[in-house]
Amino acid sequence: MDIATVHSNFRFKLPLATRWSDMDEMRHINNAVYLTYFEQSRAYYFQEVCQWDWDKDGFILGSAHLNYHMPLKFPDTAFIYARISKVGTKSMEMEYAVVKEQDGTEIVMTTGYTTLVMFDYKANKSIPVPERIRTLLYDYEKVKF
């Protein structure tokens, strides 16, 4: 991901409230907390973009990759950008950028991506990405998957 072009690559932006309890002994946001930030942005993204029905559509986290560029601290004002960058047969890739506002500019603090696998919890197996979800994602992201 080209961190210099966050604004042009992402349409979805969510305010991120850092919490005192997110910090560790080094007085920065603990590395593991970023996975929770990613999870939070996923939930809001799918709710907004797809009107996600959590009882009908399920997915599991297949993998997560994070790159730490600069430490985030409490009480930094930050945002998390999110987007779907790839959709396969049964999975999709979601990219994230955690950005801090400072003196009117945005500084990329952390980037990453996750692989999400569509999953039928009743049958306990992976399933193809439904066409209606694929269409909603395409319409929002304006890219062909």
PDB file of all heavy atoms in Angstrom, residues 20-46:
ATOM      1  N   TRP A  20      -7.003   5.285  27.264  1.00  0.00           N
ATOM      2  CA  TRP A  20      -5.896   5.153  28.209  1.00  0.00           C
ATOM      3  C   TRP A  20      -5.498   3.686  28.350  1.00  0.00           C
ATOM      4  O   TRP A  20      -4.323   3.345  28.365  1.00  0.00           O
ATOM      5  CB  TRP A  20      -6.301   5.751  29.554  1.00  0.00           C
ATOM      6  CG  TRP A  20      -5.253   5.600  30.607  1.00  0.00           C
ATOM      7  CD1 TRP A  20      -5.195   4.641  31.576  1.00  0.00           C
ATOM      8  CD2 TRP A  20      -4.103   6.419  30.789  1.00  0.00           C
ATOM      9  NE1 TRP A  20      -4.065   4.823  32.355  1.00  0.00           N
ATOM     10  CE2 TRP A  20      -3.384   5.916  31.888  1.00  0.00           C
ATOM     11  CE3 TRP A  20      -3.615   7.541  30.123  1.00  0.00           C
ATOM     12  CZ2 TRP A  20      -2.206   6.489  32.338  1.00  0.00           C
ATOM     13  CZ3 TRP A  20      -2.437   8.112  30.573  1.00  0.00           C
ATOM     14  CH2 TRP A  20      -1.742   7.579  31.674  1.00  0.00           C
ATOM     15  N   SER A  21      -6.483   2.817  28.405  1.00  0.00           N
ATOM     16  CA  SER A  21      -6.214   1.382  28.610  1.00  0.00           C
ATOM     17  C   SER A  21      -5.594   0.712  27.383  1.00  0.00           C
ATOM     18  O   SER A  21      -5.138  -0.426  27.470  1.00  0.00           O
ATOM     19  CB  SER A  21      -7.496   0.649  28.997  1.00  0.00           C
ATOM     20  OG  SER A  21      -8.454   0.742  27.960  1.00  0.00           O
ATOM     21  N   ASP A  22      -5.552   1.410  26.233  1.00  0.00           N
ATOM     22  CA  ASP A  22      -4.926   0.853  25.029  1.00  0.00           C
ATOM     23  C   ASP A  22      -3.402   0.940  25.082  1.00  0.00           C
ATOM     24  O   ASP A  22      -2.716   0.294  24.301  1.00  0.00           O
ATOM     25  CB  ASP A  22      -5.396   1.604  23.778  1.00  0.00           C
ATOM     26  CG  ASP A  22      -6.859   1.365  23.451  1.00  0.00           C
ATOM     27  OD1 ASP A  22      -7.456   0.419  23.991  1.00  0.00           O
ATOM     28  OD2 ASP A  22      -7.409   2.147  22.643  1.00  0.00           O
ATOM     29  N   MET A  23      -2.867   1.751  26.003  1.00  0.00           N
ATOM     30  CA  MET A  23      -1.411   1.938  26.083  1.00  0.00           C
ATOM     31  C   MET A  23      -0.750   0.825  26.885  1.00  0.00           C
ATOM     32  O   MET A  23      -1.380   0.191  27.730  1.00  0.00           O
ATOM     33  CB  MET A  23      -1.076   3.283  26.728  1.00  0.00           C
ATOM     34  CG  MET A  23      -1.363   4.468  25.846  1.00  0.00           C
ATOM     35  SD  MET A  23      -0.647   5.996  26.458  1.00  0.00           S
ATOM     36  CE  MET A  23      -1.321   6.128  28.082  1.00  0.00           C
ATOM     37  N   ASP A  24       0.522   0.627  26.612  1.00  0.00           N
ATOM     38  CA  ASP A  24       1.296  -0.342  27.378  1.00  0.00           C
ATOM     39  C   ASP A  24       2.378   0.392  28.184  1.00  0.00           C
ATOM     40  O   ASP A  24       2.375   1.615  28.266  1.00  0.00           O
ATOM     41  CB  ASP A  24       1.884  -1.421  26.470  1.00  0.00           C
ATOM     42  CG  ASP A  24       2.798  -0.873  25.385  1.00  0.00           C
ATOM     43  OD1 ASP A  24       3.311   0.261  25.524  1.00  0.00           O
ATOM     44  OD2 ASP A  24       2.995  -1.574  24.378  1.00  0.00           O
ATOM     45  N   GLU A  25       3.296  -0.356  28.761  1.00  0.00           N
ATOM     46  CA  GLU A  25       4.347   0.239  29.595  1.00  0.00           C
ATOM     47  C   GLU A  25       5.227   1.224  28.837  1.00  0.00           C
ATOM     48  O   GLU A  25       5.828   2.105  29.437  1.00  0.00           O
ATOM     49  CB  GLU A  25       5.250  -0.861  30.177  1.00  0.00           C
ATOM     50  CG  GLU A  25       4.716  -1.453  31.438  1.00  0.00           C
ATOM     51  CD  GLU A  25       5.736  -2.389  32.086  1.00  0.00           C
ATOM     52  OE1 GLU A  25       6.948  -2.106  32.041  1.00  0.00           O
ATOM     53  OE2 GLU A  25       5.296  -3.401  32.626  1.00  0.00           O
ATOM     54  N   MET A  26       5.287   1.075  27.539  1.00  0.00           N
ATOM     55  CA  MET A  26       6.120   1.967  26.732  1.00  0.00           C
ATOM     56  C   MET A  26       5.395   3.280  26.421  1.00  0.00           C
ATOM     57  O   MET A  26       5.923   4.129  25.730  1.00  0.00           O
ATOM     58  CB  MET A  26       6.525   1.274  25.424  1.00  0.00           C
ATOM     59  CG  MET A  26       7.255  -0.051  25.640  1.00  0.00           C
ATOM     60  SD  MET A  26       8.659   0.049  26.776  1.00  0.00           S
ATOM     61  CE  MET A  26       9.783   1.013  25.839  1.00  0.00           C
ATOM     62  N   ARG A  27       4.169   3.429  26.940  1.00  0.00           N
ATOM     63  CA  ARG A  27       3.350   4.639  26.825  1.00  0.00           C
ATOM     64  C   ARG A  27       2.940   4.947  25.386  1.00  0.00           C
ATOM     65  O   ARG A  27       2.816   6.100  24.983  1.00  0.00           O
ATOM     66  CB  ARG A  27       4.014   5.832  27.491  1.00  0.00           C
ATOM     67  CG  ARG A  27       4.286   5.519  28.962  1.00  0.00           C
ATOM     68  CD  ARG A  27       4.412   6.638  29.914  1.00  0.00           C
ATOM     69  NE  ARG A  27       3.552   7.771  29.788  1.00  0.00           N
ATOM     70  CZ  ARG A  27       2.385   7.914  30.429  1.00  0.00           C
ATOM     71  NH1 ARG A  27       1.941   6.961  31.191  1.00  0.00           N
ATOM     72  NH2 ARG A  27       1.701   9.024  30.289  1.00  0.00           N
ATOM     73  N   HIS A  28       2.782   3.878  24.612  1.00  0.00           N
ATOM     74  CA  HIS A  28       2.173   4.018  23.284  1.00  0.00           C
ATOM     75  C   HIS A  28       1.108   2.938  23.152  1.00  0.00           C
ATOM     76  O   HIS A  28       1.044   2.023  23.971  1.00  0.00           O
ATOM     77  CB  HIS A  28       3.212   3.953  22.151  1.00  0.00           C
ATOM     78  CG  HIS A  28       3.958   2.650  22.085  1.00  0.00           C
ATOM     79  ND1 HIS A  28       3.388   1.479  21.615  1.00  0.00           N
ATOM     80  CD2 HIS A  28       5.229   2.349  22.415  1.00  0.00           C
ATOM     81  CE1 HIS A  28       4.289   0.516  21.664  1.00  0.00           C
ATOM     82  NE2 HIS A  28       5.413   1.012  22.150  1.00  0.00           N
ATOM     83  N   ILE A  29       0.267   3.065  22.131  1.00  0.00           N
ATOM     84  CA  ILE A  29      -0.797   2.084  21.936  1.00  0.00           C
ATOM     85  C   ILE A  29      -0.144   0.720  21.697  1.00  0.00           C
ATOM     86  O   ILE A  29       0.735   0.575  20.847  1.00  0.00           O
ATOM     87  CB  ILE A  29      -1.706   2.483  20.757  1.00  0.00           C
ATOM     88  CG1 ILE A  29      -2.327   3.877  20.982  1.00  0.00           C
ATOM     89  CG2 ILE A  29      -2.784   1.429  20.524  1.00  0.00           C
ATOM     90  CD1 ILE A  29      -3.169   4.028  22.233  1.00  0.00           C
ATOM     91  N   ASN A  30      -0.572  -0.254  22.464  1.00  0.00           N
ATOM     92  CA  ASN A  30      -0.019  -1.601  22.364  1.00  0.00           C
ATOM     93  C   ASN A  30      -0.264  -2.172  20.970  1.00  0.00           C
ATOM     94  O   ASN A  30      -1.335  -1.995  20.393  1.00  0.00           O
ATOM     95  CB  ASN A  30      -0.659  -2.495  23.428  1.00  0.00           C
ATOM     96  CG  ASN A  30      -0.063  -3.877  23.421  1.00  0.00           C
ATOM     97  OD1 ASN A  30      -0.468  -4.724  22.640  1.00  0.00           O
ATOM     98  ND2 ASN A  30       0.895  -4.106  24.293  1.00  0.00           N
ATOM     99  N   ASN A  31       0.711  -2.880  20.451  1.00  0.00           N
ATOM    100  CA  ASN A  31       0.631  -3.430  19.096  1.00  0.00           C
ATOM    101  C   ASN A  31      -0.620  -4.275  18.873  1.00  0.00           C
ATOM    102  O   ASN A  31      -1.242  -4.206  17.813  1.00  0.00           O
ATOM    103  CB  ASN A  31       1.875  -4.264  18.782  1.00  0.00           C
ATOM    104  CG  ASN A  31       3.127  -3.424  18.750  1.00  0.00           C
ATOM    105  OD1 ASN A  31       3.068  -2.205  18.621  1.00  0.00           O
ATOM    106  ND2 ASN A  31       4.272  -4.056  18.874  1.00  0.00           N
ATOM    107  N   ALA A  32      -1.004  -5.077  19.836  1.00  0.00           N
ATOM    108  CA  ALA A  32      -2.154  -5.969  19.680  1.00  0.00           C
ATOM    109  C   ALA A  32      -3.474  -5.202  19.565  1.00  0.00           C
ATOM    110  O   ALA A  32      -4.424  -5.695  18.955  1.00  0.00           O
ATOM    111  CB  ALA A  32      -2.221  -6.944  20.844  1.00  0.00           C
ATOM    112  N   VAL A  33      -3.537  -4.003  20.103  1.00  0.00           N
ATOM    113  CA  VAL A  33      -4.780  -3.220  20.090  1.00  0.00           C
ATOM    114  C   VAL A  33      -5.176  -2.840  18.661  1.00  0.00           C
ATOM    115  O   VAL A  33      -6.359  -2.687  18.355  1.00  0.00           O
ATOM    116  CB  VAL A  33      -4.638  -1.974  20.995  1.00  0.00           C
ATOM    117  CG1 VAL A  33      -5.830  -1.040  20.861  1.00  0.00           C
ATOM    118  CG2 VAL A  33      -4.453  -2.406  22.445  1.00  0.00           C
ATOM    119  N   TYR A  34      -4.203  -2.729  17.771  1.00  0.00           N
ATOM    120  CA  TYR A  34      -4.513  -2.360  16.394  1.00  0.00           C
ATOM    121  C   TYR A  34      -5.429  -3.381  15.726  1.00  0.00           C
ATOM    122  O   TYR A  34      -6.236  -3.024  14.869  1.00  0.00           O
ATOM    123  CB  TYR A  34      -3.234  -2.154  15.574  1.00  0.00           C
ATOM    124  CG  TYR A  34      -2.513  -0.894  15.966  1.00  0.00           C
ATOM    125  CD1 TYR A  34      -1.541  -0.907  16.957  1.00  0.00           C
ATOM    126  CD2 TYR A  34      -2.818   0.319  15.362  1.00  0.00           C
ATOM    127  CE1 TYR A  34      -0.888   0.252  17.336  1.00  0.00           C
ATOM    128  CE2 TYR A  34      -2.169   1.482  15.733  1.00  0.00           C
ATOM    129  CZ  TYR A  34      -1.208   1.435  16.717  1.00  0.00           C
ATOM    130  OH  TYR A  34      -0.560   2.589  17.096  1.00  0.00           O
ATOM    131  N   LEU A  35      -5.330  -4.638  16.124  1.00  0.00           N
ATOM    132  CA  LEU A  35      -6.250  -5.642  15.574  1.00  0.00           C
ATOM    133  C   LEU A  35      -7.689  -5.336  15.985  1.00  0.00           C
ATOM    134  O   LEU A  35      -8.621  -5.533  15.200  1.00  0.00           O
ATOM    135  CB  LEU A  35      -5.854  -7.045  16.027  1.00  0.00           C
ATOM    136  CG  LEU A  35      -4.554  -7.575  15.418  1.00  0.00           C
ATOM    137  CD1 LEU A  35      -4.146  -8.870  16.093  1.00  0.00           C
ATOM    138  CD2 LEU A  35      -4.709  -7.763  13.923  1.00  0.00           C
ATOM    139  N   THR A  36      -7.880  -4.820  17.193  1.00  0.00           N
ATOM    140  CA  THR A  36      -9.209  -4.402  17.633  1.00  0.00           C
ATOM    141  C   THR A  36      -9.665  -3.185  16.849  1.00  0.00           C
ATOM    142  O   THR A  36     -10.832  -3.082  16.464  1.00  0.00           O
ATOM    143  CB  THR A  36      -9.206  -4.111  19.147  1.00  0.00           C
ATOM    144  OG1 THR A  36      -8.791  -5.285  19.833  1.00  0.00           O
ATOM    145  CG2 THR A  36     -10.584  -3.693  19.628  1.00  0.00           C
ATOM    146  N   TYR A  37      -8.767  -2.251  16.586  1.00  0.00           N
ATOM    147  CA  TYR A  37      -9.112  -1.088  15.767  1.00  0.00           C
ATOM    148  C   TYR A  37      -9.542  -1.536  14.360  1.00  0.00           C
ATOM    149  O   TYR A  37     -10.515  -1.029  13.808  1.00  0.00           O
ATOM    150  CB  TYR A  37      -7.939  -0.117  15.646  1.00  0.00           C
ATOM    151  CG  TYR A  37      -7.528   0.587  16.911  1.00  0.00           C
ATOM    152  CD1 TYR A  37      -6.288   1.202  16.992  1.00  0.00           C
ATOM    153  CD2 TYR A  37      -8.348   0.657  18.028  1.00  0.00           C
ATOM    154  CE1 TYR A  37      -5.888   1.880  18.127  1.00  0.00           C
ATOM    155  CE2 TYR A  37      -7.960   1.326  19.179  1.00  0.00           C
ATOM    156  CZ  TYR A  37      -6.722   1.937  19.220  1.00  0.00           C
ATOM    157  OH  TYR A  37      -6.322   2.599  20.352  1.00  0.00           O
ATOM    158  N   PHE A  38      -8.804  -2.479  13.785  1.00  0.00           N
ATOM    159  CA  PHE A  38      -9.162  -3.009  12.463  1.00  0.00           C
ATOM    160  C   PHE A  38     -10.544  -3.655  12.518  1.00  0.00           C
ATOM    161  O   PHE A  38     -11.378  -3.442  11.641  1.00  0.00           O
ATOM    162  CB  PHE A  38      -8.137  -4.042  11.995  1.00  0.00           C
ATOM    163  CG  PHE A  38      -6.812  -3.478  11.549  1.00  0.00           C
ATOM    164  CD1 PHE A  38      -6.469  -2.143  11.711  1.00  0.00           C
ATOM    165  CD2 PHE A  38      -5.871  -4.315  10.985  1.00  0.00           C
ATOM    166  CE1 PHE A  38      -5.234  -1.646  11.294  1.00  0.00           C
ATOM    167  CE2 PHE A  38      -4.634  -3.839  10.566  1.00  0.00           C
ATOM    168  CZ  PHE A  38      -4.317  -2.507  10.716  1.00  0.00           C
ATOM    169  N   GLU A  39     -10.789  -4.448  13.560  1.00  0.00           N
ATOM    170  CA  GLU A  39     -12.077  -5.120  13.719  1.00  0.00           C
ATOM    171  C   GLU A  39     -13.218  -4.103  13.807  1.00  0.00           C
ATOM    172  O   GLU A  39     -14.272  -4.270  13.184  1.00  0.00           O
ATOM    173  CB  GLU A  39     -12.046  -5.992  14.974  1.00  0.00           C
ATOM    174  CG  GLU A  39     -13.347  -6.698  15.278  1.00  0.00           C
ATOM    175  CD  GLU A  39     -13.246  -7.476  16.572  1.00  0.00           C
ATOM    176  OE1 GLU A  39     -12.908  -6.870  17.610  1.00  0.00           O
ATOM    177  OE2 GLU A  39     -13.514  -8.688  16.537  1.00  0.00           O
ATOM    178  N   GLN A  40     -13.015  -3.059  14.577  1.00  0.00           N
ATOM    179  CA  GLN A  40     -14.033  -2.028  14.731  1.00  0.00           C
ATOM    180  C   GLN A  40     -14.353  -1.375  13.386  1.00  0.00           C
ATOM    181  O   GLN A  40     -15.512  -1.172  13.042  1.00  0.00           O
ATOM    182  CB  GLN A  40     -13.544  -0.980  15.727  1.00  0.00           C
ATOM    183  CG  GLN A  40     -14.519   0.141  15.971  1.00  0.00           C
ATOM    184  CD  GLN A  40     -13.987   1.120  17.010  1.00  0.00           C
ATOM    185  OE1 GLN A  40     -13.045   0.837  17.745  1.00  0.00           O
ATOM    186  NE2 GLN A  40     -14.578   2.280  17.062  1.00  0.00           N
ATOM    187  N   SER A  41     -13.329  -1.059  12.622  1.00  0.00           N
ATOM    188  CA  SER A  41     -13.564  -0.424  11.324  1.00  0.00           C
ATOM    189  C   SER A  41     -14.262  -1.385  10.366  1.00  0.00           C
ATOM    190  O   SER A  41     -15.109  -0.959   9.574  1.00  0.00           O
ATOM    191  CB  SER A  41     -12.262   0.096  10.721  1.00  0.00           C
ATOM    192  OG  SER A  41     -11.406  -0.954  10.341  1.00  0.00           O
ATOM    193  N   ARG A  42     -13.928  -2.682  10.430  1.00  0.00           N
ATOM    194  CA  ARG A  42     -14.620  -3.683   9.587  1.00  0.00           C
ATOM    195  C   ARG A  42     -16.110  -3.690   9.862  1.00  0.00           C
ATOM    196  O   ARG A  42     -16.925  -3.702   8.944  1.00  0.00           O
ATOM    197  CB  ARG A  42     -14.076  -5.091   9.858  1.00  0.00           C
ATOM    198  CG  ARG A  42     -12.918  -5.496   9.059  1.00  0.00           C
ATOM    199  CD  ARG A  42     -12.686  -6.997   9.101  1.00  0.00           C
ATOM    200  NE  ARG A  42     -12.602  -7.597  10.406  1.00  0.00           N
ATOM    201  CZ  ARG A  42     -11.505  -7.665  11.155  1.00  0.00           C
ATOM    202  NH1 ARG A  42     -10.380  -7.128  10.730  1.00  0.00           N
ATOM    203  NH2 ARG A  42     -11.526  -8.252  12.321  1.00  0.00           N
ATOM    204  N   ALA A  43     -16.471  -3.712  11.139  1.00  0.00           N
ATOM    205  CA  ALA A  43     -17.891  -3.778  11.504  1.00  0.00           C
ATOM    206  C   ALA A  43     -18.642  -2.561  10.970  1.00  0.00           C
ATOM    207  O   ALA A  43     -19.714  -2.698  10.378  1.00  0.00           O
ATOM    208  CB  ALA A  43     -18.034  -3.877  13.021  1.00  0.00           C
ATOM    209  N   TYR A  44     -18.086  -1.375  11.152  1.00  0.00           N
ATOM    210  CA  TYR A  44     -18.741  -0.164  10.659  1.00  0.00           C
ATOM    211  C   TYR A  44     -18.751  -0.114   9.134  1.00  0.00           C
ATOM    212  O   TYR A  44     -19.723   0.318   8.518  1.00  0.00           O
ATOM    213  CB  TYR A  44     -18.084   1.086  11.238  1.00  0.00           C
ATOM    214  CG  TYR A  44     -18.533   1.386  12.642  1.00  0.00           C
ATOM    215  CD1 TYR A  44     -17.745   1.028  13.732  1.00  0.00           C
ATOM    216  CD2 TYR A  44     -19.749   2.029  12.882  1.00  0.00           C
ATOM    217  CE1 TYR A  44     -18.150   1.301  15.030  1.00  0.00           C
ATOM    218  CE2 TYR A  44     -20.163   2.305  14.166  1.00  0.00           C
ATOM    219  CZ  TYR A  44     -19.364   1.940  15.242  1.00  0.00           C
ATOM    220  OH  TYR A  44     -19.780   2.211  16.516  1.00  0.00           O
ATOM    221  N   TYR A  45     -17.661  -0.542   8.518  1.00  0.00           N
ATOM    222  CA  TYR A  45     -17.580  -0.552   7.051  1.00  0.00           C
ATOM    223  C   TYR A  45     -18.682  -1.428   6.461  1.00  0.00           C
ATOM    224  O   TYR A  45     -19.434  -0.985   5.599  1.00  0.00           O
ATOM    225  CB  TYR A  45     -16.202  -1.064   6.614  1.00  0.00           C
ATOM    226  CG  TYR A  45     -16.037  -1.191   5.115  1.00  0.00           C
ATOM    227  CD1 TYR A  45     -15.464  -0.164   4.381  1.00  0.00           C
ATOM    228  CD2 TYR A  45     -16.439  -2.338   4.442  1.00  0.00           C
ATOM    229  CE1 TYR A  45     -15.300  -0.266   3.003  1.00  0.00           C
ATOM    230  CE2 TYR A  45     -16.291  -2.454   3.070  1.00  0.00           C
ATOM    231  CZ  TYR A  45     -15.723  -1.423   2.358  1.00  0.00           C
ATOM    232  OH  TYR A  45     -15.568  -1.529   0.992  1.00  0.00           O
ATOM    233  N   PHE A  46     -18.760  -2.668   6.920  1.00  0.00           N
ATOM    234  CA  PHE A  46     -19.750  -3.582   6.344  1.00  0.00           C
ATOM    235  C   PHE A  46     -21.178  -3.154   6.666  1.00  0.00           C
ATOM    236  O   PHE A  46     -22.084  -3.340   5.854  1.00  0.00           O
ATOM    237  CB  PHE A  46     -19.495  -5.020   6.788  1.00  0.00           C
ATOM    238  CG  PHE A  46     -18.357  -5.655   6.036  1.00  0.00           C
ATOM    239  CD1 PHE A  46     -17.175  -5.948   6.677  1.00  0.00           C
ATOM    240  CD2 PHE A  46     -18.469  -5.936   4.691  1.00  0.00           C
ATOM    241  CE1 PHE A  46     -16.111  -6.519   5.987  1.00  0.00           C
ATOM    242  CE2 PHE A  46     -17.422  -6.504   3.984  1.00  0.00           C
ATOM    243  CZ  PHE A  46     -16.230  -6.789   4.636  1.00  0.00           C
TER     244      PHE A  46
END
